[in-house]
Structure formats: structure tokens, C-alpha cells
Amino acid sequence: MSPLPCACAVALITLLLPAATHAFGIEDVAAKAQALAQQPFHDPKDQVPEWLIKISYDQWRDIRFRPDQALWADRHSPFQVQFFHPGLYYQRTVAMNVVDEHGVQPIPFSTSRFDYGKNTFADRIPADLGYAGFRVHYPLKTPTRLDELIVFLGASYFRAVGRDQLFGLSARALAVDTAFPPGEEFPFFREFWLVTPARGAKQLVLYALLDSPSVTGAYHFVVTPGRQTVVAVDSTVFLRKPVRRLGVAPLTSMFYFGENTLRTVPDFRPEVHDSDGLLLNFVTGEWLWRPLDNPKALAVNSFQTRSPRGFGLVQRDRDFSHYEDLETRPDLRPSAWVAPRGEWGEGAVELVEIPTDSELNDNIVSYWTPARLPNPGDPLSYSYALSWYGDDPERPPGGRVVGSRQDYGTMPNVHRFVLDFAGPTLASLPPDAQVRGVMSIRNGEEAATILDQHVVKNDVTGGWRLSCQIQPKIAQPLELRAFLERGGDTLTETWSYAVVP
């Protein structure tokens, strides 16, 4: 937990903004959130006509914002904002404001800002309907073209891309009671404030007010585009009433099947996923890689730690031939990495894997959950940097798992695992190097036996392969871990996996 925001961040932002825009800040939004938490919850769903919610996907998609109506289009700004029309899945409107040298001004809704295409209902749209969300455009790839950079749409969801990626997984402001019956609560953004960027600005600043039946919150975002697009987040939340779990910095993705999936899926593509693993960097310096899966039943795994250095959902496999999907290009989907700022204290990074029979469902969620929750009305503050990127050799800086495969082995009642590790140090080692695989079962030796374990140089890739067979002794999930070492020196991150009966 850390105060909001730090003095150096305030000074930097002030220098980037036009005169007088700093008169509005996170303290103003936090005051609104605290006051809102003391009031009964009101859901603004009734602001969108029911008939508009019932339109088809094609009808909603045919409503397009006119680019010449974009916010800041007349200021020659490197950032421009286009708005989304309510309807279909988007049943709430969100108040939009602009902050400039004149202060805070509302951004009014107008049907003239939209091209309704083949739809014939434009004259039925209420004049004061409002917007469902927005997207920010910026010359990310070339100086002469504005590309989609970040999108805020639906509940508290937002997603961004680095220079060389396509949109994939999403982030959220907050998760509440994920994987708890009778169902998860989804907080939503009720209001935004967009700070007018100075000419030639390299960052975009915005604020948001969060609301839900159980929690309110104030959010401050600083978006820095680049090869890795970084979103700095400062947040303060207030509980209206007690909750069972808060998920801080939640990430949401899709995993349908991959190289580690045992079930056969009738699909021409070898793998289908937006992310293939959870990566964690503990305060001890250890890096852990947990391959994702599409389980038969809901799976919730908790990695206890204190103030992690970072965690994220990663699309590590960048080989097109492993997907063969020309339409969605999973090989270009971004990874998202959460780097905490300040002291987060005791808690856990949780991974939730939800069974799905379709790639249309986001079935993977990961977040930080604090060990202790505040009392209703007390503030809880977190700050972090959220990076959207392709490959990063520093995450982790050493050897990494590049292949995680399994089958039912060569003897009764076993699971065979074949793990490929790669990295510069591993590639430099000769085939006769004394590289050892360290495999462990967290349940203990009484839970399972490790059989036929060996490590060999992979002459094709230059990496090293660890293979073994696991023979369970109990009808309970097994937690496995493995890494490579040489002469007492750890060479790789730790591979983590669960064997479910």
C-alpha cells in the first residue's frame, strides 16, 4: 500500500499539462468516492432504453463514431479520443468530462457524432443518452497514423497494446468476490475526467470514479505509449459493506487449449489462447512460471507472498506455426505485467481458471488479494505500473520454460511431463555439462513418486529438456515444482503445475 500520489509523480504530471489543469486531481475523485460510499448504491442501468439493449451485435457494430468528431481533433494533439455508443452488452452510460485550462467541462452526448450505418433508429435515441466508454488513438506505429492505444469499455475493463501487438487480454480496476458463490460482483466506472494533453505530450492523464454495491474507488491513470505501453495506476477504494475478497490489479484472459492440454479438441489450430502462463516475481527474487489450463472444474490457486515484485498474464509463445490463425493472430497478443509501487504487505497472487467450451469466453483471472481488508469507509490505496508488451528478456532475466507438455506416460497410473528450458546461459553450456533437474512435490513424498527423471541438452533448440513421470499415491491434486541448477547455482525460473485426479 502506498499514498496517492507520490510528490515526484505530481511534479512530473504538472509539467506536462497546460496551465491550470492541475487544479483537478486524484484528491477530488477520492473525495467523491468517499462520499459515494456513504450513500445507498444506485445502478444507472435504467439510463439506456430497453429496446437499445436488445439490438443485435451487427446493429451495434454498425454504429460508428465519426473520427472528425474526436476529442482534441481540432488541437493537433498526438492523442485523440473517440466514444462508444451504448446498447447491446453495454447497458450503462458513463459521465465524461474534459479538464483543460478553463477547468472541468462535461462532454455532452450527441447523435451527430455517430454514423448509424444501415440502422434506422437514430431518431429514437434520447438526446441526453450518454456514452458507454471511449478509446484513445495515438501515432503508436508511425508518426503519420493514429492507432488504437487503449480502450475503456464495459464495467471497469480496459485494455491496451504496445507498439507491435494486437488487442488481447484485459485489465480491470478491481475484482470483488471472484470465484465465490453466488457470483462475482463487477464494479464499474461511473465517471471519467480526461486531462487535455499539451502540444507534443508523450503521456495522457485521466481519472475515473468506480462504483458497485459493495465498493467505490478513485483511480488515476497515466498512459505512456511505446514499444511497451505503460499505464501507471494510483487507486484508493472505500468499502460500502464487507466483502470476502478484493482483487487488486486484476487481469482477465482466455485459454481454450494449448500444448499442455490433455483433452482432444476438434480444431485445426494447434493452440488457442490469449495468454499461456502466469509469471510471478517474488520479493525473494524467485521467478515462477505457471502454465495456464482449461480445467474440468473451477480451479483457484493462491501464491502466498509479501509485496511481490511483479506478476502478470503472459503470452510467451510467439511462434505463428503453434497457432496457425491468420484471423486472430494469437502470436501478436500482448502480455500484461503488474509492477507494484510501494509496500503492498501480506497477501497472495491468485489464479482463477474457469472451465470453458469456447474461445469466446474469458476464463482466466489473476489478481493480488490483500491478507487483511479495511473496514467499511476506511481507505485502501494501491499504486502500480501496468506494462503491455510482446517479449521481454528481463521477465525473467535468466532461463525460462518454453515448452510444457504432458501425457499419460509409459506405465500405469502416471503423468509424464516434458519441460523445455531456454536462455542464453543454458545455450552456452556444452551437452556434457552437469545440469540437474530439481523436481519436488509440495504435498510430500507420501503423495506421489517421481520416476524416470532425466535432463538432456536439446540439440535442436540449444536449450535443455527435463522429463519425468509422476505416480500419484493419493486421489488429491498434486502441486509440482521444477527448475534447473548447476553446481548449486539456479539456472532457470521455477515451473509450477497442478496434477488434478
Side-chain angles (χ1 to χ4, degrees):
M1 290 180 286
S2 62
L4 273 180
C6 68
C8 58
V10 173
L12 175 61
I13 294 168
T14 301
L15 290 174
L16 294 171
L17 304 183
T21 57
H22 60 276
F24 184 88
I26 186 65
E27 298 83 1
D28 299 282
V29 187
K32 288 177 177 289
Q34 188 172 28
L36 191 61
Q38 298 171 0
Q39 303 171 12
F41 171 70
H42 170 70
D43 196 328
K45 278 188 176 181
D46 55 3
Q47 295 175 352
V48 180
E50 185 176 356
W51 66 265
L52 191 55
I53 296 171
K54 294 181 178 180
I55 63 176
S56 69
Y57 175 73
D58 288 338
Q59 286 177 302
W60 183 81
R61 191 174 61 173
D62 209 23
I63 307 174
R64 296 179 175 88
F65 192 85
R66 300 180 186 273
D68 62 332
Q69 295 293 311
L71 182 65
W72 304 319
D74 58 346
R75 296 177 63 100
H76 305 289
S77 169
F79 295 95
Q80 294 186 13
V81 178
Q82 299 184 16
F83 300 97
F84 289 100
H85 199 286
L88 192 60
Y89 308 122
Y90 308 107
Q91 303 177 18
R92 296 187 182 96
T93 60
V94 56
M96 301 297 309
N97 304 278
V98 63
V99 183
D100 58 21
E101 61 271 21
H102 304 294
V104 177
Q105 306 293 332
I107 303 173
F109 172 83
S110 174
T111 56
S112 64
R113 289 187 163 188
F114 293 91
D115 180 348
Y116 286 84
K118 298 178 181 179
N119 296 311
T120 60
F121 50 66
D123 57 349
R124 298 176 59 192
I125 302 295
D128 59 349
L129 178 61
Y131 301 108
F134 64 95
R135 59 189 179 191
V136 178
H137 294 248
Y138 179 85
L140 187 62
K141 301 181 186 299
T142 67
T144 57
R145 175 181 174 181
L146 293 177
D147 305 292
E148 279 192 69
L149 172 66
I150 188 168
V151 176
F152 288 82
L153 180 64
S156 69
Y157 284 89
F158 61 99
R159 55 181 184 162
V161 289
R163 184 190 63 201
D164 302 318
Q165 289 87 58
L166 303 176
F167 282 105
L169 81 166
S170 299
R172 284 187 276 164
L174 197 68
V176 177
D177 290 345
T178 304
F180 274 107
E184 182 175 359
E185 180 176 301
F186 289 88
F188 60 92
F189 287 129
R190 182 180 285 272
E191 190 167 7
F192 282 99
W193 293 263
L194 309 177
V195 179
T196 303
R199 184 180 295 272
K202 301 298 183 182
Q203 295 179 319
L204 179 66
V205 178
L206 58 109
Y207 302 91
L209 176 64
L210 189 79
D211 198 9
S212 81
S214 300
V215 65
T216 68
Y219 283 78
H220 171 223
F221 301 94
V222 180
V223 184
T224 306
R227 185 182 64 84
Q228 293 193 23
T229 291
V230 180
V231 182
V233 182
D234 295 300
S235 65
T236 297
V237 299
F238 303 88
L239 294 182
R240 268 198 177 97
K241 60 183 181 180
V243 300
R244 286 170 287 188
R245 179 178 292 143
L246 279 182
V248 177
L251 303 172
T252 301
S253 192
M254 180 273 293
F255 185 95
Y256 186 23
F257 61 90
E259 64 189 22
N260 56 311
T261 302
L262 286 172
R263 289 173 289 164
T264 300
V265 180
D267 199 300
F268 78 91
R269 298 165 295 179
E271 302 181 40
V272 177
H273 49 73
D274 286 341
S275 305
D276 56 6
L278 170 68
L279 182 64
L280 293 92
N281 186 200
F282 295 99
V283 70
T284 59
E286 180 188 15
W287 291 82
L288 182 142
W289 174 254
R290 180 63 168 246
L292 300 178
D293 204 356
N294 180 3
K296 296 179 181 179
L298 176 67
V300 181
N301 289 276
S302 185
F303 302 88
Q304 304 291 326
T305 185
R306 177 180 178 83
S307 292
R309 293 181 178 177
F311 68 92
L313 292 178
V314 174
Q315 185 77 316
R316 180 169 283 180
D317 191 340
R318 296 287 167 181
D319 191 330
F320 172 79
S321 67
H322 293 179
Y323 303 101
E324 294 294 346
D325 193 332
L326 287 171
E327 183 178 357
T328 65
R329 294 302 302 272
D331 56 305
L332 298 179
R333 299 302 175 100
S335 300
W337 180 255
V338 176
R341 291 189 285 122
E343 175 64 37
W344 280 25
E346 298 290 344
V349 174
E350 290 199 339
L351 174 65
V352 180
E353 297 167 300
I354 305 168
T356 182
D357 58 3
S358 169
E359 64 188 282
L360 301 178
N361 302 316
D362 281 345
N363 63 318
I364 304 295
V365 187
S366 184
Y367 48 79
W368 167 262
T369 182
R372 296 183 62 182
L373 296 178
N375 295 320
D378 292 340
L380 179 66
S381 298
Y382 284 92
S383 296
Y384 55 95
L386 177 55
S387 298
W388 306 78
Y389 63 100
D391 191 23
D392 187 338
E394 296 302 313
R395 299 189 183 115
R400 64 180 62 185
V401 180
V402 295
S404 182
R405 297 172 176 85
Q406 64 171 317
D407 61 19
Y408 292 119
T410 60
M411 57 189 74
N413 187 35
V414 300
H415 291 260
R416 177 169 59 182
F417 290 93
V418 179
L419 311 178
D420 280 309
F421 294 84
T425 300
L426 292 174
S428 69
L429 296 175
D432 60 352
Q434 298 300 305
V435 176
R436 188 172 74 95
V438 180
M439 171 73 74
S440 62
I441 302 171
R442 296 191 67 186
N443 311 60
E445 295 182 357
E446 66 277 5
T449 302
I450 302 173
L451 304 169
D452 193 27
Q453 177 179 326
H454 59 278
V455 177
V456 298
K457 180 84 170 184
N458 187 330
D459 294 328
V460 177
T461 66
W464 289 75
R465 174 169 288 186
L466 165 65
S467 62
C468 68
Q469 301 192 70
I470 306 295
Q471 189 171 59
K473 298 178 182 178
I474 58 175
Q476 297 177 11
L478 302 176
E479 279 287 337
L480 310 179
R481 290 197 174 197
F483 62 90
L484 300 184
E485 65 94 24
R486 185 188 185 212
D489 293 331
T490 300
L491 299 175
T492 69
E493 66 189 2
T494 300
W495 171 85
S496 170
Y497 208 78
V499 176
V500 181

